[in-house]
Amino acid sequence: MEISPAIHDPQGQEKQQQAAGVGILLQIMMLVLSFVLGHVLRRHKFYYLPEASASLLIGLIVGGLANISNTETSIRTWFNFHDEFFFLFLLPPIIFQSGFSLQPKPFFSNFGAIVTFSVLGTFVASIVTGVLVYLGGVMFLMYRLPFVECLMFGSLISATDPVTVLSIFQELGSDVNLYALVFGESVLNDAMAISLYRTMSLVRSHSSGQNFFMVIVRFLETFVGSMSAGVGVGFTSALLFKYAGLDVDNLQNLECCLFVLFPYFSYMLAEGLSLSGIVSILFTGIVMKHYTYSNLSGNSQRFVSAFFHLISSLAETFVFIYMGFDIAMEKHSWSHVGFICFSILFIVIARAANVFGCGYLVNLARPAHRKIPMTHQKALWYSGLRGAMAFALALQSVHDLPEGHGQTIFTATTAIVVLTVLLIGGSTGTMLEALEVVGDSRDTALGDGFEVVNNRYMTSFDDEDSPSGSGFRTKLREFHKSAASFTELDRNYLTPFFTSHNGEYDDDVNNEISHEERIPFARRGNLNNRG
Amino acid sequence: MEISPAIHDPQGQEKQQQAAGVGILLQIMMLVLSFVLGHVLRRHKFYYLPEASASLLIGLIVGGLANISNTETSIRTWFNFHDEFFFLFLLPPIIFQSGFSLQPKPFFSNFGAIVTFSVLGTFVASIVTGVLVYLGGVMFLMYRLPFVECLMFGSLISATDPVTVLSIFQELGSDVNLYALVFGESVLNDAMAISLYRTMSLVRSHSSGQNFFMVIVRFLETFVGSMSAGVGVGFTSALLFKYAGLDVDNLQNLECCLFVLFPYFSYMLAEGLSLSGIVSILFTGIVMKHYTYSNLSGNSQRFVSAFFHLISSLAETFVFIYMGFDIAMEKHSWSHVGFICFSILFIVIARAANVFGCGYLVNLARPAHRKIPMTHQKALWYSGLRGAMAFALALQSVHDLPEGHGQTIFTATTAIVVLTVLLIGGSTGTMLEALEVVGDSRDTALGDGFEVVNNRYMTSFDDEDSPSGSGFRTKLREFHKSAASFTELDRNYLTPFFTSHNGEYDDDVNNEISHEERIPFARRGNLNNRG
């Protein structure tokens, strides 16, 4: 151990330790307040201020109070935690939980659409945002950034986090396919946004002698490499738990200890390999939920679900409080206001390009009864809140970019997160009801596809198909088939190989997604009502 | 937020981040290995290497390998975490869990004895060790330290941690009263050792103008203040959970989130008040288990038990690995060997003074059928392993004392921890069997007192009572009564006030501790078999 040089001022050290104690105390009190306030608001069905917004507001208020008080500097130091804390302790549980709480069945039955929205769509959104921000700079509408940095900003701001939208979906009851689409897209687009961001960042630092081909290779390296690392760790854990025979009653603690170490292992393995830990832990979450989880004993299953839900709730609430606090404490130069306003306009346009563009493509490939209705596309477009992931990448950009540029991106991102969470979060209930995609009418949740919904909304959409796209359409249908064949592969080879029960899952998959499908969601609603 | 100045060397930063990733990766692998090895050893009933020893050995081996390899420096930096990490994240869960896993009934029925051993006994042990170390220094047997620093060393080395002994108790089945005695004493003596250490540390830094009276006041301030803070937070949490009405099914996550925030709140509150966070969180643990816990819903009860057990297992295993690693990595000056050897001799003597002295006093106060048999006293004496708490205080002393002194104490403490864990831990099974205090013979676990045991071992002991001590003895009996009246107070006022069910507990307490008493331990054995 490296012992830091002995400090011969025990009193000074004690004071410092005491100040740190008071800071953490304040943070805990804000956490408790957020949980209690969020609970009270939910209990009174006050959907204009979801929990995430409440946490943000608490942070804003405490930050504002600290800002006008005299003791500003000391309060500021209390909250001055290292970025390390954010990247090592706050972000991994949030991202793992988003992968871990994916319901495999609706996710895989919408796999093609989700991948289209989150891979192709996020790529489109990033480029559109980046180009618009660059043009805005060129036209002196906003702070001017170099093109590559615009693309970096475009990538990081494309990571969505519809936590409040999803919690209201669960509260009000929504179509499983819409839920899977919004949730699945938000989970996977994080991976895409990080990979794009890292690629752009690499392009920026080795700007000479890089051609377009190398950029693609870099991107695939990050995305596929991190994904493989995550999936590999997930599969390893599945095999370990399948054969170790730990699913007996009195080994629950050992089982859970090992289980909770794997995600972190995956995160650190990827970081050690210069890949993206976040992308890796996300895929580990998906794989561990789908395979490893079912090899656990019943008690441990309940425990690890509650465990990851608990720590991700704590981390997420903390991040929202922190973001609110941060934006209230920052010394803002008002030159950023233009940047923020135009950025918001541009991300709205970029998300429209993503959702409606990809929605059109997906509908080309899907059979008539399974097309994504316009209302669902609108709901997906509306769910473009920005959250912890965008914030984390913006924090990263402060280190990656020259001072002024990084700071501008960071301020803009924080502001966008706060505004989207407060505005979109507050209006979600109204919007979803206006779009008639939620509510207790069981009709909308029926069936494998959207039969009922289609009859109502989709007739006009069907007619839009132009015959000119038919060759392309065939290819898309093939892609759709390949997504379906992944389900086959999973059912016939992966599930039997990585889990201890073969029969059950098969039966489940063969059934159409039916009324029963709502039950796991109802259960999840209880466990996951903090997103 | 304080943004650290932008670093324009992304590659250097990335390398550093990568190195940190590899370090954590290695630590996770060591954790996994420890858990698996511990499990395999326990499964094969190999009691010579309990889990804590296995973790220590893994740390020692990896540290040794790192030491002889070329890349030493970089591996050393991987493990170079801040002391902050230890005090903020590793120690609190360990200490809270030790309070939280106390079984209230056997603990309170042996309350008087436990308090005597841990308050009076630890005081005696600290003074004896301190004086002997000072005399050793004066006589040039060992490194010479000033008297106050000897007392600081005496206090910190008096914090015991019989984790391996207790796990073997659970494995082999032991008398509940002996278990409560060993466990309760080790839990409370941590609080006493910290308070003594802090008092001595204050005496040292304001050495002029302090009289003996002020020392006592300082000590009471730390001990009683921290205890009150902890108990206060515990009671607050009990009332919150009693009246908040969160024990309904779909609020499990909210309930658990709030529950896990309280211990940390207690820790930070005490630190913010310049008291001892560790002492505070310990008492919060005891109070929360006794009162708050029973106000939780059934699901949450199971969850929080498993949760605290899980994180304390992880933290504890990590601390043992870390201690092993540390002692292998340190550049030791061999001048410390004398200090270590004599210290070990002195702590053995001091613990004998503690256990047999206090055992004599307790037996004076107890009625004949409840006296503590000599075998139990010997088992208690033998259970004097040193662990995380002594290590933490030694780490603290490096900051508090001049360089050479702090380093000597730190090295000696680490060595003592490693030696006692390996030697005592390895021989516990043999020793306990030799003392015949474990085993499946139900006899030893019977009854409110020690009737059966007494018949076998206690006859000679009873005769030793000298009539001269009778006035003193009356006072002791009164003290014993007051401990009993605490149980009355608890049953009649505290439990009804702080928990939602009044009747059940009363009935439980009115029953004599009977055969059924073993059941909770069997259950705990499953959950808590890592201590």
Side-chain angles (χ1 to χ4, degrees):
Chain A
M1 165 183 251
E2 207 94 343
I3 301 268
S4 30
I7 298 157
H8 290 290
D9 177 18
Q11 280 214 303
Q13 201 207 347
E14 202 176 303
K15 274 237 172 75
Q16 206 184 347
Q17 213 171 329
Q18 196 179 335
V22 175
I24 299 180
L25 202 62
L26 191 66
Q27 290 164 25
I28 296 175
M29 284 162 67
M30 284 158 77
L31 271 177
V32 170
L33 192 64
S34 296
F35 279 105
V36 172
L37 183 64
H39 167 61
V40 170
L41 289 171
R42 205 174 45 233
R43 194 138 122 183
H44 292 88
K45 300 198 184 299
F46 186 79
Y47 296 128
Y48 301 105
L49 198 66
E51 277 169 299
S53 312
S55 311
L56 256 181
L57 275 185
I58 288 174
L60 273 172
I61 292 167
V62 175
L65 289 178
N67 223 358
I68 56 171
S69 78
N70 265 340
T71 53
E72 185 202 340
T73 354
S74 77
I75 293 181
R76 185 189 283 271
T77 55
W78 292 346
F79 274 80
N80 176 24
F81 60 55
H82 303 277
D83 300 354
E84 244 186 359
F85 180 72
F86 192 83
F87 284 102
L88 284 181
F89 295 105
L90 292 179
L91 205 53
I94 296 176
I95 303 297
F96 180 79
Q97 171 68 12
S98 71
F100 195 70
S101 58
L102 264 186
Q103 289 291 313
K105 238 185 299 169
F107 176 71
F108 283 114
S109 72
N110 287 287
F111 194 68
I114 290 170
V115 168
T116 311
F117 282 115
S118 52
V119 175
L120 181 62
T122 305
F123 182 75
V124 168
S126 304
I127 302 292
V128 169
T129 312
V131 169
L132 287 176
V133 168
Y134 181 70
L135 291 179
V138 168
M139 292 156 71
F140 299 106
L141 292 174
M142 56 206 290
Y143 190 87
R144 185 169 175 172
L145 294 173
F147 186 58
V148 181
E149 294 178 14
C150 289
L151 289 178
M152 284 169 78
F153 177 64
S155 321
L156 73 88
I157 207 70
S158 296
T160 62
D161 180 11
V163 41
T164 52
V165 176
L166 291 173
S167 74
I168 293 175
F169 273 17
Q170 289 178 334
E171 208 82 6
L172 300 178
S174 85
D175 186 285
V176 278
N177 289 295
L178 175 59
Y179 188 95
L181 218 55
V182 172
F183 191 32
E185 195 259 340
S186 83
V187 166
L188 291 189
N189 80 9
D190 284 356
M192 187 67 189
I194 300 164
S195 305
L196 280 173
Y197 176 85
R198 288 174 70 110
T199 309
M200 294 304 161
S201 170
L202 278 174
V203 168
R204 191 188 151 276
S205 52
H206 312 266
S207 48
S208 57
Q210 291 270 337
N211 55 25
F212 185 70
F213 177 71
M214 279 307 289
V215 175
I216 302 286
V217 170
R218 287 276 181 197
F219 168 75
L220 287 179
E221 204 179 294
T222 307
F223 188 77
V224 180
S226 309
M227 189 176 85
S228 312
V231 171
V233 172
F235 280 152
T236 310
S237 72
L239 288 180
L240 177 89
F241 282 96
K242 183 177 178 185
Y243 292 112
L246 299 176
D247 54 343
V248 290
D249 245 12
N250 63 351
L251 288 179
Q252 197 204 329
N253 189 49
L254 177 65
E255 209 180 356
C256 296
C257 279
L258 291 178
F259 195 90
V260 302
L261 286 174
F262 271 100
Y264 224 67
F265 183 81
S266 154
Y267 185 83
M268 287 303 157
L269 181 68
E271 288 292 324
L273 295 171
S274 297
L275 299 169
S276 162
I278 296 293
V279 175
S280 177
I281 202 174
L282 173 66
F283 283 97
T284 304
I286 296 173
V287 172
M288 285 185 82
K289 176 61 171 285
H290 197 40
Y291 302 106
T292 318
Y293 185 72
S294 54
N295 294 340
L296 293 180
S297 65
N299 276 336
S300 298
Q301 285 187 349
R302 274 186 296 280
F303 177 76
V304 295
S305 299
F307 177 83
F308 287 119
H309 182 42
L310 176 87
I311 56 168
S312 71
S313 294
L314 288 173
E316 206 167 64
T317 307
F318 191 82
V319 168
F320 277 109
I321 291 175
Y322 182 74
M323 286 191 289
F325 187 85
D326 182 66
I327 201 152
M329 288 295 276
E330 280 287 319
K331 293 265 170 287
H332 299 289
S333 74
W334 288 99
S335 71
H336 292 147
V337 172
F339 194 89
I340 294 169
C341 292
F342 281 104
S343 300
I344 290 181
L345 179 66
F346 297 158
I347 62 176
V348 169
I349 296 171
R351 187 152 179 89
N354 166 355
V355 172
F356 300 114
C358 293
Y360 181 76
L361 287 182
V362 169
N363 279 339
L364 284 185
R366 284 194 168 190
H369 70 285
R370 290 204 65 219
K371 287 191 193 302
I372 302 174
M374 205 55 193
T375 46
H376 285 197
Q377 293 186 34
K378 281 181 186 158
L380 187 57
W381 173 64
Y382 198 82
S383 314
L385 292 81
R386 269 64 177 180
M389 197 63 240
F391 181 77
L393 287 176
L395 204 57
Q396 184 73 50
S397 80
V398 176
H399 297 290
D400 291 349
L401 299 182
E403 187 128 19
H405 300 183
Q407 195 60 50
T408 306
I409 287 180
F410 183 68
T411 306
T413 306
T414 318
I416 289 171
V417 169
V418 171
L419 287 173
T420 54
V421 168
L422 291 184
L423 296 182
I424 303 187
S427 60
T428 303
T430 321
M431 178 278 293
L432 292 179
E433 274 160 14
L435 289 176
E436 298 181 41
V437 288
V438 289
D440 265 348
S441 67
R442 286 247 155 178
D443 294 351
T444 51
L446 270 180
D448 168 74
F450 294 86
E451 293 97 338
V452 183
V453 182
N454 275 335
N455 293 344
R456 266 200 262 156
Y457 307 104
M458 284 301 296
T459 37
S460 66
F461 205 75
D462 244 6
D463 297 349
E464 278 176 357
D465 291 348
S466 58
S468 66
S470 61
F472 183 56
R473 213 169 145 176
T474 322
K475 270 188 193 142
L476 277 174
R477 283 202 202 277
E478 268 163 26
F479 174 74
H480 183 252
K481 255 188 205 158
S482 80
S485 74
F486 172 76
T487 314
E488 294 275 307
L489 173 78
D490 174 48
R491 185 172 58 204
N492 294 331
Y493 300 100
L494 297 179
T495 301
F497 185 71
F498 287 111
T499 69
S500 23
H501 45 85
N502 314 354
E504 298 164 48
Y505 185 71
D506 285 16
D507 291 342
D508 279 1
V509 168
N510 287 337
N511 291 334
E512 300 285 275
I513 295 171
S514 66
H515 277 89
E516 278 76 47
E517 188 61 14
R518 289 181 72 87
I519 297 168
F521 276 93
R523 190 172 50 72
R524 284 192 64 230
N526 298 336
L527 271 171
N528 285 12
N529 48 19
R530 290 194 56 86
Chain B
M1 165 183 250
E2 207 94 346
I3 300 269
S4 31
I7 297 156
H8 291 290
D9 177 19
Q11 280 215 304
Q13 202 208 346
E14 202 175 303
K15 274 235 173 78
Q16 207 185 345
Q17 213 173 329
Q18 196 180 336
V22 176
I24 299 180
L25 201 64
L26 191 66
Q27 291 165 22
I28 296 175
M29 283 163 68
M30 284 158 75
L31 271 177
V32 170
L33 191 64
S34 296
F35 279 106
V36 172
L37 184 63
H39 167 62
V40 170
L41 290 171
R42 204 174 45 232
R43 192 139 126 183
H44 291 87
K45 300 197 183 299
F46 186 79
Y47 296 128
Y48 301 104
L49 198 64
E51 277 168 300
S53 313
S55 311
L56 257 181
L57 276 186
I58 288 174
L60 273 171
I61 292 166
V62 175
L65 289 178
N67 224 357
I68 55 171
S69 79
N70 265 342
T71 54
E72 185 202 339
T73 353
S74 76
I75 293 181
R76 183 188 284 272
T77 55
W78 293 346
F79 273 80
N80 175 25
F81 59 56
H82 303 279
D83 302 353
E84 244 186 358
F85 180 72
F86 192 82
F87 284 103
L88 285 182
F89 296 105
L90 293 179
L91 204 53
I94 296 176
I95 303 297
F96 179 79
Q97 171 68 12
S98 71
F100 194 71
S101 60
L102 264 187
Q103 289 290 315
K105 239 185 299 171
F107 176 72
F108 283 114
S109 72
N110 288 287
F111 193 69
I114 290 169
V115 168
T116 311
F117 281 115
S118 52
V119 175
L120 182 62
T122 306
F123 182 75
V124 168
S126 305
I127 302 292
V128 169
T129 313
V131 169
L132 287 177
V133 169
Y134 181 70
L135 292 179
V138 169
M139 293 156 70
F140 299 105
L141 292 174
M142 55 206 292
Y143 190 88
R144 185 169 174 172
L145 294 174
F147 186 59
V148 182
E149 294 178 14
C150 290
L151 289 179
M152 284 170 78
F153 177 65
S155 322
L156 74 88
I157 206 71
S158 296
T160 61
D161 179 12
V163 42
T164 52
V165 176
L166 291 173
S167 76
I168 292 175
F169 273 16
Q170 289 178 333
E171 208 81 5
L172 300 178
S174 86
D175 185 285
V176 278
N177 290 295
L178 176 58
Y179 187 95
L181 218 55
V182 173
F183 191 31
E185 194 259 340
S186 83
V187 167
L188 290 189
N189 81 8
D190 284 356
M192 186 68 189
I194 299 164
S195 304
L196 282 173
Y197 176 85
R198 288 174 70 109
T199 309
M200 294 303 161
S201 170
L202 277 174
V203 168
R204 191 187 151 276
S205 52
H206 313 266
S207 48
S208 58
Q210 293 268 339
N211 56 25
F212 185 72
F213 177 71
M214 278 308 289
V215 174
I216 302 286
V217 170
R218 289 275 180 197
F219 168 76
L220 287 179
E221 204 179 294
T222 308
F223 189 77
V224 180
S226 309
M227 191 176 82
S228 312
V231 171
V233 172
F235 279 153
T236 310
S237 72
L239 288 180
L240 177 89
F241 282 96
K242 183 177 177 184
Y243 293 112
L246 300 176
D247 54 341
V248 289
D249 245 12
N250 62 352
L251 290 178
Q252 198 204 329
N253 189 50
L254 176 64
E255 209 180 355
C256 296
C257 278
L258 290 178
F259 194 90
V260 303
L261 285 174
F262 271 100
Y264 224 67
F265 182 82
S266 153
Y267 185 83
M268 287 303 157
L269 180 69
E271 289 292 325
L273 295 170
S274 299
L275 299 169
S276 162
I278 295 293
V279 175
S280 177
I281 203 174
L282 173 66
F283 284 96
T284 303
I286 296 174
V287 172
M288 285 185 82
K289 175 60 171 285
H290 198 38
Y291 302 106
T292 318
Y293 184 73
S294 54
N295 294 339
L296 293 180
S297 64
N299 275 336
S300 297
Q301 285 188 348
R302 274 187 295 281
F303 176 76
V304 295
S305 300
F307 177 83
F308 287 119
H309 183 42
L310 176 86
I311 56 169
S312 71
S313 293
L314 287 173
E316 205 167 68
T317 307
F318 191 81
V319 168
F320 277 109
I321 291 175
Y322 181 73
M323 288 192 288
F325 187 85
D326 182 65
I327 202 151
M329 287 297 276
E330 278 289 319
K331 293 265 169 287
H332 300 287
S333 74
W334 288 99
S335 71
H336 291 148
V337 172
F339 194 89
I340 293 168
C341 294
F342 281 104
S343 300
I344 290 180
L345 179 66
F346 296 158
I347 62 175
V348 168
I349 296 172
R351 187 154 178 88
N354 165 356
V355 172
F356 300 114
C358 294
Y360 181 76
L361 286 182
V362 170
N363 280 338
L364 283 185
R366 285 193 167 190
H369 70 286
R370 291 205 64 218
K371 287 191 194 302
I372 303 172
M374 203 57 191
T375 46
H376 285 196
Q377 294 186 33
K378 281 182 187 158
L380 186 57
W381 173 64
Y382 198 82
S383 314
L385 292 81
R386 269 63 176 180
M389 196 64 240
F391 182 77
L393 287 176
L395 205 55
Q396 184 75 48
S397 79
V398 176
H399 298 291
D400 292 347
L401 299 181
E403 186 129 23
H405 300 183
Q407 194 61 50
T408 306
I409 288 180
F410 182 70
T411 306
T413 306
T414 317
I416 290 171
V417 169
V418 171
L419 286 174
T420 54
V421 168
L422 291 184
L423 295 182
I424 303 187
S427 60
T428 303
T430 322
M431 177 281 292
L432 293 180
E433 274 161 14
L435 288 176
E436 299 180 41
V437 288
V438 289
D440 266 347
S441 66
R442 287 248 155 175
D443 294 352
T444 49
L446 269 182
D448 168 75
F450 295 85
E451 294 97 338
V452 183
V453 182
N454 276 335
N455 293 345
R456 266 200 260 156
Y457 307 104
M458 284 302 295
T459 37
S460 65
F461 205 76
D462 242 7
D463 297 348
E464 277 176 358
D465 292 347
S466 60
S468 67
S470 60
F472 183 56
R473 211 169 147 176
T474 322
K475 273 190 191 138
L476 277 173
R477 282 200 204 275
E478 268 162 24
F479 174 74
H480 182 254
K481 254 187 205 157
S482 79
S485 74
F486 171 76
T487 313
E488 294 274 308
L489 174 77
D490 174 49
R491 185 172 59 204
N492 295 330
Y493 301 99
L494 296 179
T495 300
F497 185 71
F498 287 110
T499 68
S500 24
H501 45 86
N502 315 354
E504 298 164 48
Y505 185 72
D506 286 15
D507 292 342
D508 280 2
V509 167
N510 288 337
N511 292 335
E512 298 286 274
I513 295 170
S514 65
H515 276 89
E516 278 74 49
E517 189 61 13
R518 289 181 72 86
I519 296 168
F521 275 93
R523 192 172 48 73
R524 284 194 63 231
N526 298 336
L527 271 171
N528 287 10
N529 48 20
R530 292 192 56 86

